[in-house]
Amino acid sequence: MVAAASVVVAVGTVTGMMSALDERRGAVEARPRVSDSPRPDTPPVTPPPAPAPAPASASATAPAPSAPKEGPGTPSATRGTSGPRRAAPTGRLYLHPDSQALEWVRAHRDDPRAPLVGSRIADRPAAVWFADHDRATIASRVRAVTARAAAQGRVPVLVAYAVPGRDCGGASEGGAPDTAAYDAWIDGFAAGLGSGEVMVILEPDSIAQADCLSATERAERFASLARAGRVLKAADRRARVYFDAGHSAWNPAAQQAALLRQAGAASAASSDGIFSNVSNFHRTADEIAYDRDVLDALGGPAGLGAVIDTSRNGNGAPPDGAWCDPAGRSLGRTPTLDTGEARIDAYLWVKLPGESDGCRGEPGTFSASYAYDLAR
């Protein structure tokens, strides 16, 4: 991993808050499985002006937003918003009915921690991860989620995480064996989208972490990502596809924008914007400012926006750079499609709080004590 990376460690080939593969139920069902976050070789750093990947994580009745444990000063204005902007997604986010958090609450109703973990974590919408590059089942696994969400009139958040050379051979290594296999996997992913509104987080760390690749490998990856965006959006006109912007303590905004442009993120045919802070802890205010800077530098249609992972950033990043289930963290802003912030389309829980980075339990497994500490 690279310095200042996110926190996502894959176990085998199944990574993410909610993985869409369950041997017990068959290929058409999706449920949470082991999730993680890429483990940096060195701790995240705090940028001078702006220089720090990998990932980690959807209710019939969404709970009312809770006040975030963040300091004041969230930016509310931005540059570069002239011209028509495609309406941001609306409605309510989808909560997948199976998750490790929900399973724990159901199995431990007498545990004094269960009410808080249930109301503040298990009942909140979170992303569904697809990290297994099985081409034969990907369409049915995606369809199992999107069809259920559409039936409820909710917006699902799906994470595509199978790019070749994933995590640069680090703890979350894996993905498709080559670009041709990945392109075919994306075709299957797109076939499962249906026609409803859906948000796709396209390959966490695939762009911010691309410096581990040779120039030829990087060009091949970026071309494949641009193609993925086009295929996904062509398959479902209501799909919104977001590209990897790292986070506010990683690459400077202009540098990240240049990489994103090469990967097709400035094209309306491929992209609806960017995502940041997946599995990390940086404050929402910092991510808002950074994402707007990236969007300004990126150019492209005025309609491009950003989504931010707020699952564990309520107290910001640890001052000592700790990344593995660090103490003193808290839940961030409640997942919502109504941020009240220009060019910020959503606050999402891409990594499900309580699923361990590997220190409070096995990587990707649910830790009740960790979840309770975050929720308090």
Side-chain angles (χ1 to χ4, degrees):
M1 296 297 300
V2 298
S6 308
V7 205
V8 183
V9 178
V11 174
T13 60
V14 183
T15 303
M17 305 323 86
M18 299 187 183
S19 168
L21 181 63
D22 179 7
E23 297 89 353
R24 293 178 300 170
R25 301 191 181 198
V28 298
E29 281 296 321
R31 75 180 296 275
R33 277 289 290 275
V34 175
S35 73
D36 298 276
S37 310
R39 182 176 305 187
D41 294 331
T42 55
V45 296
T46 301
S57 339
S59 151
T61 302
S66 59
K69 300 179 184 177
E70 297 186 1
T74 301
S76 57
T78 185
R79 302 180 299 281
T81 57
S82 60
R85 166 158 163 71
R86 177 184 173 187
T90 58
R92 304 176 80 175
L93 292 164
Y94 170 71
L95 172 65
H96 197 58
D98 294 316
S99 73
Q100 293 187 83
L102 278 169
E103 289 178 352
W104 182 85
V105 170
R106 291 166 183 156
H108 297 84
R109 297 189 184 280
D110 294 334
D111 191 302
R113 300 169 296 183
L116 188 63
V117 172
S119 64
R120 299 212 63 201
I121 294 178
D123 288 343
R124 302 293 170 95
V128 183
W129 288 69
F130 297 84
D132 188 314
H133 65 272
D134 185 348
R135 293 163 52 186
T137 62
I138 184 62
S140 61
R141 288 186 282 134
V142 171
R143 189 177 299 114
V145 177
T146 57
R148 183 175 283 172
Q152 296 178 9
R154 309 283 171 157
V155 181
V157 178
L158 313 180
V159 182
Y161 191 53
V163 72
R166 188 173 68 194
D167 195 24
C168 295
S172 293
E173 67 178 338
D178 53 44
T179 298
Y182 179 72
D183 290 349
W185 184 83
I186 283 291
D187 291 346
F189 194 112
L193 291 179
S195 59
E197 200 161 34
V198 58
M199 304 175 79
V200 179
I201 305 300
L202 183 61
E203 300 295 342
D205 304 331
S206 60
I207 298 174
Q209 195 189 14
D211 57 356
C212 73
L213 304 175
S214 69
T216 300
E217 291 169 333
R218 189 179 307 120
E220 184 176 14
R221 172 180 287 186
F222 288 174
S224 188
L225 290 174
R227 176 193 181 277
R230 292 193 302 271
V231 169
L232 293 167
K233 290 179 65 61
D236 180 359
R237 296 175 59 188
R238 300 177 70 190
R240 302 183 69 92
V241 180
Y242 295 88
F243 283 68
D244 170 41
H247 57 67
S248 59
W250 200 337
N251 295 324
Q255 175 184 337
Q256 188 63 31
L259 296 171
L260 283 157
R261 198 176 302 112
Q262 295 174 50
S267 168
S270 295
S271 169
D272 291 279
I274 61 175
F275 62 84
S276 72
N277 207 42
V278 167
S279 299
N280 223 292
F281 306 91
H282 300 283
R283 291 185 182 275
T284 304
D286 295 335
E287 294 304 302
I288 290 173
Y290 168 73
D291 288 347
R292 287 173 174 164
D293 286 345
V294 171
L295 290 169
D296 286 345
L298 179 62
L304 299 183
V307 297
I308 299 168
D309 186 352
T310 59
S311 58
R312 304 186 297 177
N313 72 346
N315 287 339
D320 60 357
W323 62 269
C324 187
D325 304 333
R329 302 311 95 202
S330 71
L331 302 176
R333 295 178 184 271
T334 300
T336 182
L337 296 174
D338 183 12
T339 69
E341 294 286 348
R343 304 196 85 178
I344 307 301
D345 291 348
Y347 300 137
L348 304 175
W349 283 8
V350 182
K351 180 173 177 69
L352 187 63
E355 293 192 352
S356 176
D357 299 319
C359 293
R360 299 286 288 265
E362 290 297 315
T365 58
F366 183 76
S367 165
S369 62
Y370 182 31
Y372 184 70
D373 287 347
L374 289 167
R376 285 190 296 179

